[in-house]
Amino acid sequence: DVKVTQSSRYLVKRTGEKVFLECVQDMDHENMFWYRQDPGLGLRLIYFSYDVKMKEKGDIPEGYSVSREKKERFSLILESASTNQTSMYLCASNPTAGVDYNEQFFGPGTRLTVL
Amino acid sequence: AQRVTQPEKLLSVFKGAPVELKCNYSYSGSPELFWYVQYSRQRLQLLLRHISRESIKGFTADLNKGETSFHLKKPFAQEEDSAMYYCALTGPHSGYSTLTFGKGTMLLVSP
């Protein structure tokens, strides 16, 4: 069973704080993704990574950065959290070959509240 | 630019009624289309993809290239089908790496 885990289910931070969201997958997937999920807006891609130390901007990268030092781990960083970054953050991964090719497997999500 | 449109935010039906969740897309090329589902307090998961041409939990979806649609259908809705449904696409422009999601449709099935 593919498992994607996220470090926190709920997180409360203050405006201006630096925030780290961690994601780990245990299936040796090449691709990893960070989305934010907002009511009425669906899922929007923040960043993705197709290999260690490689990253690509998604649709809404402003205010975020990412780090992928190991294949299984993909971190999302909010350099200076703001209230408009209050959201549900979803991590996902997918392989680039095999029977699950192209299917994205999602983590449980981290609900971040910025006060 | 690629785009996925789900025109209904909320679809409310009674148990046993037919269900159709609409999805239209805009893409220049040959996309792959998916439906993802998120049940209450569960993680988002793949429901079906058009290239599989299979029925999952009684749901089917046919890719209509002429109408650029990928509507999700089920002849008889069940209460356990209540969930948020997202239509998504990928294609050669992104190397089939990234998904573009619609805004989602909440399906509520009442007893």
Side-chain angles (χ1 to χ4, degrees):
Chain A
D1 236 10
V2 176
K3 193 145 186 205
V4 180
T5 57
Q6 296 183 226
S7 51
S8 306
R9 290 302 304 271
Y10 301 93
L11 209 52
V12 180
K13 296 292 181 180
R14 297 208 174 272
T15 302
E17 281 193 80
K18 190 168 185 176
V19 181
F20 293 87
L21 303 182
E22 305 284 339
C23 175
V24 177
Q25 50 94 4
D26 65 358
M27 285 301 291
D28 204 36
H29 286 171
E30 292 82 5
N31 294 341
M32 296 188 75
F33 307 84
W34 275 107
Y35 296 90
R36 61 178 286 175
Q37 183 182 32
D38 299 288
L41 296 178
L43 273 76
R44 293 178 291 167
L45 181 64
I46 304 171
Y47 268 96
F48 71 99
S49 169
Y50 53 89
D51 202 350
V52 174
K53 297 192 185 295
M54 307 304 288
K55 60 185 179 184
E56 293 282 345
K57 292 180 180 179
D59 300 317
I60 51 164
E62 297 79 17
Y64 304 94
S65 61
V66 290
S67 172
R68 193 165 180 201
E69 296 297 318
K70 294 185 178 181
K71 190 175 184 180
E72 68 270 18
R73 188 179 298 269
F74 192 34
S75 303
L76 180 69
I77 304 153
L78 286 67
E79 296 289 342
S80 177
S82 63
T83 54
N84 63 12
Q85 292 178 310
T86 292
S87 186
M88 173 69 86
Y89 289 87
L90 300 183
C91 176
S93 70
N94 76 353
T96 53
V99 65
D100 293 328
Y101 165 71
N102 229 358
E103 175 182 349
Q104 290 195 13
F105 294 86
F106 284 83
T110 295
R111 183 165 295 282
L112 172 67
T113 302
V114 183
L115 302 175
Chain B
Q2 59 198 54
R3 188 166 58 244
V4 177
T5 302
Q6 294 180 250
E8 303 133 332
K9 285 186 178 180
L10 173 66
L11 186 61
S12 186
V13 302
F14 288 105
K15 177 182 172 181
V19 170
E20 183 179 50
L21 287 83
K22 291 184 166 48
C23 173
N24 289 90
Y25 66 91
S26 173
Y27 194 86
S28 57
S30 296
E32 288 187 28
L33 275 294
F34 306 81
W35 278 98
Y36 279 78
V37 62
Q38 188 169 30
Y39 301 102
S40 179
R41 287 185 286 278
Q42 294 188 28
R43 61 185 70 195
L44 194 63
Q45 59 188 289
L46 178 68
L47 179 63
L48 54 80
R49 64 177 90 195
H50 89 268
I51 58 174
S52 301
R53 302 186 64 82
E54 57 190 345
S55 174
I56 304 292
K57 298 185 179 184
F59 285 98
T60 59
D62 291 317
L63 181 61
N64 186 323
K65 292 185 179 180
E67 295 183 359
T68 58
S69 68
F70 188 56
H71 304 326
L72 184 68
K73 299 177 183 179
K74 185 169 183 177
F76 307 103
Q78 302 299 314
E79 290 180 67
E80 55 266 30
D81 296 328
S82 295
M84 178 67 89
Y85 291 80
Y86 293 96
C87 183
L89 70 74
T90 189
H93 296 175
S94 67
Y96 294 98
S97 297
T98 61
L99 287 174
T100 297
F101 284 87
K103 294 182 178 181
T105 298
M106 173 68 77
L107 174 64
L108 290 178
V109 182
S110 305

